[in-house]
Amino acid sequence: MPGTQPPMSIWAQAPDYVTPAQRPPVGTPLAPHPSTPTLFTPLQLRSLTLSNRFAVSPMCMDSAWDGLMTDFHLVHLGSFALRGAALTIFEATSVAANGRITTGDVGLWHDGQIAPMKRIVDFIHAQGQHAGIQLAHAGRKAGNLPGHDPLLKRGVNDMATVADGGWPEDVWAPSAIPYNATYARPKALSTEQVEGLVRSFAEAAERALKVGFDTMEIHAAHGYLLSEFLSPITNKRTDKYGGSFENRIRFLVEVIQAVRAVIPETMPLLVRISSTEWMEWTGEPSWDVPQSIRLAKLLPDLGVDLLDVSSGGNNADQKIVIHPYYQVDIAGQIREALRAEGKSMLIGAVGLITTAEMARSIVQADGTLAGETDGTVEVEVGTGQTAKADLVLLARQMLREPEFVLRVAHNLGVEVKWPVQYGRAHFRGAKV
């Protein structure tokens, strides 16, 4: 006869399976004390408590079929939760079929896309971690070929033809201005179509609730549709959605209001923006940091709990001076401006976060570490007596090292919970 099952107390249960429980969640300090780095302290977002300050940033994997997530996504996203990321935000998920960046993008525009996504969220919850979704529409940058297609004989970001499964005649934008010559020429949305897309965001949010997500992020960055409306370079409209700052942010404000209206009061809402287009060099009006600060000050009253500060992506001619803190410093500016006016919205920082010391410095209130290097020159990062952000969001570094949270803990001397299955593999000795 088979042996008796172990007590259920050591198992986490999902609707259709059980898996060994991780109690406390991986990445949680085992003996927290006053000197524990802020990076490994909890973060509260409404009713959501993150056990540490690490979040997985949305990463487009071009691996969905007709917008449906697959077993690839289960392994890809589940691996981060298993290895200590307190929050894993799913990749840009389109609210409309023609809003996908590539033909391989994930979507949530119909109910059939709920179940494959729910399976992954259930697994993440079974690890004691949290899952978020980024709701998006790619606008004029939609309808491209997946970059990893083994049969691809054209360049990455080339337009997908109808034969490729693309929709080159159904690409939308605030104004009929293509991103560049390899992208489709978009059609300018009518006022009524913009209003319809606001409803599409709300309907996708309702589906996301059925999936079981813990939080949602509205994607208004990287030159996708909402970002295109913010910019005077890509928004040449003369209706209520174009012209003045108030009109250019109107679409985003309406989307925030629509999503906030359908999600529970207890659920945190995030927004990602490109804080600058990096087009100041032209001398022409563009979206920049002062406008981002102006927008940020409005968001808390709209029910936004965290602003995810990225940059660029709306213009092929952008000129970025890259160093490790090139986006983190902007996040710090926005955070400081909010605090100066008593605004309580949290800030997330992204980009080139590859070391334990850098991750620590971003959220640590007792000062940042100078002397970070980009590999060629030392970068001054200032005295930094206050944190620049409240949460670090990681993408490429998590692809390189899914166990990055565990390595950072080891290098900072913090003993954290490891996966119960991997306990014999702890990092040992000096920094790794």
Side-chain angles (χ1 to χ4, degrees), residues 46-57:
R46 297 201 182 212
S47 65
L48 180 64
T49 303
L50 304 182
S51 58
N52 59 45
R53 305 301 181 95
F54 292 92
V56 176
S57 197

Side-chain angles (χ1 to χ4, degrees), residues 40-86:
F40 288 96
T41 61
L43 181 66
Q44 193 71 34
L45 288 154
R46 297 201 182 212
S47 65
L48 180 64
T49 303
L50 304 182
S51 58
N52 59 45
R53 305 301 181 95
F54 292 92
V56 176
S57 197
M59 295 179 274
C60 293
M61 293 286 103
D62 294 346
S63 297
W65 176 260
D66 193 29
L68 298 167
M69 284 191 151
T70 68
D71 282 356
F72 165 79
H73 297 95
L74 173 64
V75 175
H76 166 65
L77 296 166
S79 68
F80 305 131
L82 178 62
R83 291 169 173 83

